Amino acid sequence: MIDLHMWPTPNAHKITMFLEETGLPYRTVEVNIGAGDQFKPQFLAISPNNKMPAIVDPDGPDGQPISVFESGAILIYLAEKTGRFLPAAPRARYEVLQWLMFQMASVGPMLGQAHHFRDYAPEKLPYAIDRYSNESRRIYNVVEKRLADRDYVAGEYSIADMAIFPWFLHHERQGVDLGELPRVKRWMDAIHARPATVRALAVMADRRPPKPGPQDQLQREILFGSKQFEKR
């Protein structure tokens, strides 16, 4: 039984998508990032960067327990453990891995900044909003072009699609209109229609609170303020 330490965010839902597709037994361990659970010593022991998700697999390499943090690393680990959604053939394998790295390096960070400055920042900064909204649209257009001659970003459905898809669910918050991206919409509809995706997105969906307002000072400090920078 794999322990998945998570809160219902795009990065965590990458992992529930994989686990639901493969049927690997798992249980969720709540990491309430609004309450500061990510800073607790027991979580930092498995995720030193105080970010979730993280997993603990009691049946790791050589039958010994292992913990893995960073969602991209977790997807690679689980794909290698199961032999699913990451091809063994080198050319096809690197096709998937480069699009997984595209998600880790560009999709998550840039779309996350769009969320922050459009929705969470206490003051509206036009330069930041324009910069990250424009970068979000550029990233979506990269995927739109990629899907011109294939159903999924690396050909077959893979961990690269699982990594990108949860972030694209929030396109309105990123200033992106899917009406202008028919291939992305077709791709998203196909993934959303998978029963495993439906189950994956339902995991802990009732636990995510509304975004913190200006009055929620403690939660804002935990998520974005000085709490992030304390020495631990």
Side-chain angles (χ1 to χ4, degrees):
M1 180 74 73
I2 291 172
D3 283 340
L4 170 59
H5 297 252
M6 66 165 286
W7 194 241
T9 68
N11 283 337
H13 280 141
K14 300 174 191 177
I15 312 306
T16 59
M17 286 174 70
F18 187 97
L19 292 168
E20 291 293 339
E21 285 283 355
T22 57
L24 277 174
Y26 74 100
R27 60 190 168 201
T28 58
V29 180
E30 183 177 299
V31 182
N32 185 335
I33 58 175
D37 290 352
Q38 67 272 38
F39 305 119
K40 292 180 177 178
Q42 61 266 36
F43 182 68
L44 291 173
I46 62 171
S47 183
N49 194 33
N50 64 256
K51 305 293 183 185
M52 60 87 227
I55 65 167
V56 177
D57 182 2
D59 183 26
D62 303 319
Q64 299 300 309
I66 188 172
S67 62
V68 185
F69 72 102
E70 288 294 336
S71 57
I74 296 169
L75 285 173
I76 294 170
Y77 171 78
L78 293 173
E80 292 182 340
K81 178 182 177 74
T82 60
R84 302 280 306 278
F85 301 111
L86 178 62
R91 187 173 297 275
R93 182 181 181 85
Y94 285 111
E95 194 80 2
V96 170
L97 289 175
Q98 65 186 343
W99 285 96
L100 176 63
M101 295 304 111
F102 165 77
Q103 190 284 315
M104 299 297 295
S106 295
V107 175
M110 295 298 103
L111 272 55
Q113 292 293 344
H115 288 179
H116 182 80
F117 287 107
R118 291 172 66 92
D119 284 355
Y120 291 99
E123 58 182 300
K124 297 300 181 185
L125 302 172
Y127 176 84
I129 292 170
D130 288 346
R131 160 135 174 77
Y132 291 110
S133 299
N134 289 334
E135 182 65 3
S136 296
R137 286 188 283 269
R138 186 193 70 79
I139 286 167
Y140 276 78
N141 279 309
V142 170
V143 178
E144 176 77 3
K145 183 177 180 181
R146 175 67 177 174
L147 294 171
D149 58 353
R150 67 201 75 220
D151 291 334
Y152 299 101
V153 293
E156 300 294 325
Y157 188 56
S158 73
I159 57 175
D161 301 287
M162 296 177 198
I164 298 168
F165 172 81
W167 281 97
F168 277 24
L169 284 174
H170 305 285
H171 51 90
E172 302 98 334
R173 294 174 59 193
Q174 300 146 9
V176 174
D177 179 4
L178 281 192
E180 300 173 356
L181 300 159
R183 296 168 189 153
V184 169
K185 186 178 186 309
R186 185 266 308 155
W187 169 81
M188 291 188 68
D189 288 346
I191 296 174
H192 225 154
R194 299 174 74 95
T197 302
V198 176
R199 295 193 301 271
L201 296 178
V203 176
M204 290 179 61
D206 61 331
R207 300 294 294 122
R208 190 169 191 179
K211 65 183 180 181
Q215 72 280 5
D216 301 318
Q217 283 302 114
L218 178 58
Q219 191 174 0
R220 296 185 71 85
E221 280 296 303
I222 291 170
L223 290 172
F224 313 123
S226 59
K227 189 74 175 171
Q228 289 282 334
F229 310 116
E230 293 177 2
K231 289 183 101 175
R232 295 179 176 85

